[in-house]
Amino acid sequence: MEIEAQSAAPALFATQALVVLAPEQEGPWAPPLEALERATQGWLSKLKEAGEISGRWLESTLLHHPPGLKAERLLLLGCGKNPTGPFELRRLAGTAARLLKAKGVKQMALALPPEATQTKAATAAALPAAIAGAWAANFETGAYKSDRQPEKRIERLTLLVPATVPGAEIEPALNKGQAIAAAVERARELANQPANYLTPRRLGEEAEALARRYQLEFELLDEARARELRMGAFLSVAQGSAEPPRMIVLRYRGAAPSDPGKARRVLGLVGKGITFDTGGISIKPADGMEKMKYDMTGGATMLAVMQALAQLQPRLEVIAVIPAAENMPGSRAQKPGDVQIAMSGKSIEVLNTDAEGRLVLADGLSYARQLGATHLVDVATLTGAVAVALGAVYAGAFANQDEFYHEFEQAAAAAGEKVWRLPLDEEYRDQIRGSVGDLLNSGGRYGGAITAAEFLHAFAEDTPWIHLDIAGTAWWDEGKAWMPKGPTGIAVASLVELALRMAEA
Ligand code: BES
Ligand code: MN
Ligand code: ZN
């Protein structure tokens, strides 16, 4: 999708479709609606009197050839009573794009409300949010359909910003938005790939191609190398499959921080890369098992984040570690009751081979620390329990340090993504304390998302660490007005935003 910003007046802008947000409020028309009301000689008031533009959230009214406007169509999109921040802009831009693309429209111009660009920080969040929303609406899951029609898609998005916004604020916001939106698309494409195509080896090749394209450092640990490094937890998951595992490492070394007195932080990003999760010997029921092809979404997320960072070049060092393996019940598969020694030296009694994500992440976290990460974020489709707790709306978040978490929380808000912090607590650790070994890989049904997080905590130790459990949010079984069903790309935007902020801090 082509992206541009213009400071033209919406009424005078020629496009296939002009999108203007209509808030739910009484009183005189505010800009930019006020200018449209004048240009159309009172159309808006007539529509309002007829009850057709109440401003209700996502209410849409599409008008053809509105008199007095240069646009071929005017889409009035209700934006409700709340101010339009990044959360809202993402959803509004997505809704408009989906609605218009279904009608064969290829260009849309979105008039941003003045409050969205009132400060530099607001502009830096609003433009990327609108771009991410519109871009995400273009995604289609039917990549393998033989009768694929030439796609209906939005090819050009113009953001109409008030003339008062300085160009120096617009350019970087556009670049950021573009890099993030393309990265989100990348993550969704990978998550959508079937497991017979996207094996651990292929994921490694994807990472290698990315590294080559953007001059990132690249390291690929095969099974033998992982064994030398004593990654017993990681390897135990892979041993039941004929597909060899890969521990994938990408490293981005940005320029030194602008303030040389600042302590240098190295961000370690660890993503669960289970390319298919059958459950292993503790096998999953057949119903719905096909969805476990997206159990590598955490890994795809980190690959996508690295792509965006390589484009945006923040002053920060970032290491992505993606433990990739297939969890299968082959004849060499690990069995319930087996004990594995993780890279850190901790022993794990594997009660349930379906709790494999935490096993591969344990060694991934240890390796990221060994490579020099001072701050860690892991992303994983880790537990069904987090989906029970938060559904498909909020991603579950855990952190062992408030300061780092607050930094992340603000980044997620600016990126327009919903995350909800759940507790870590010493008392939950009792549920995963082993009698044969140090740890149990399953803490039972109750508090399942938390005991999984406490398991990872034992490997992050005291390095500032955030864990995102995206099992409920990585994939939508049903579409919404602003995005179709399928992979969502959750967490990519928040993590890029976090890295950019860490580079500035
Ligand atoms: N990959 C699953 C979690 C999952 C469930 C992701 C649904 C996406 C949608 C994970 O490996 C798993 O199987 N977790 C178990 C853990 C249990 C055995 C302790 C679960 O949540 O049931
Ligand atoms: Mn599993
Ligand atoms: Zn899994």
Side-chain angles (χ1 to χ4, degrees), residues 272 277 279 284 291-292 294-295 327 352 354-358 381-385 387 441-444 448 470-472:
K272 173 176 173 181
D277 181 13
K284 288 180 182 294
K291 283 176 52 189
M292 284 301 112
Y294 76 80
D295 214 17
N327 188 23
N352 190 320
D354 197 11
E356 85 296 341
R358 64 199 75 182
T381 45
L382 200 63
T383 68
N441 83 325
S442 167
I470 59 165

Side-chain angles (χ1 to χ4, degrees), residues 288-351:
M289 199 202 273
E290 74 283 352
K291 283 176 52 189
M292 284 301 112
K293 71 174 183 180
Y294 76 80
D295 214 17
M296 35 52 71
T297 302
T301 303
M302 298 324 192
L303 203 141
V305 170
M306 294 305 275
Q307 173 183 304
L309 296 180
Q311 290 172 358
L312 295 170
Q313 296 282 312
R315 294 169 164 271
L316 185 74
E317 183 173 340
V318 186
I319 307 169
V321 175
I322 304 168
E326 198 182 63
N327 188 23
M328 295 283 283
S331 63
R332 291 177 200 277
Q334 69 177 334
K335 301 157 288 292
D338 284 2
V339 174
Q340 310 294 355
I341 312 295
M343 186 187 187
S344 75
K346 287 202 165 72
S347 59
I348 303 161
E349 186 182 356
V350 178
L351 294 185

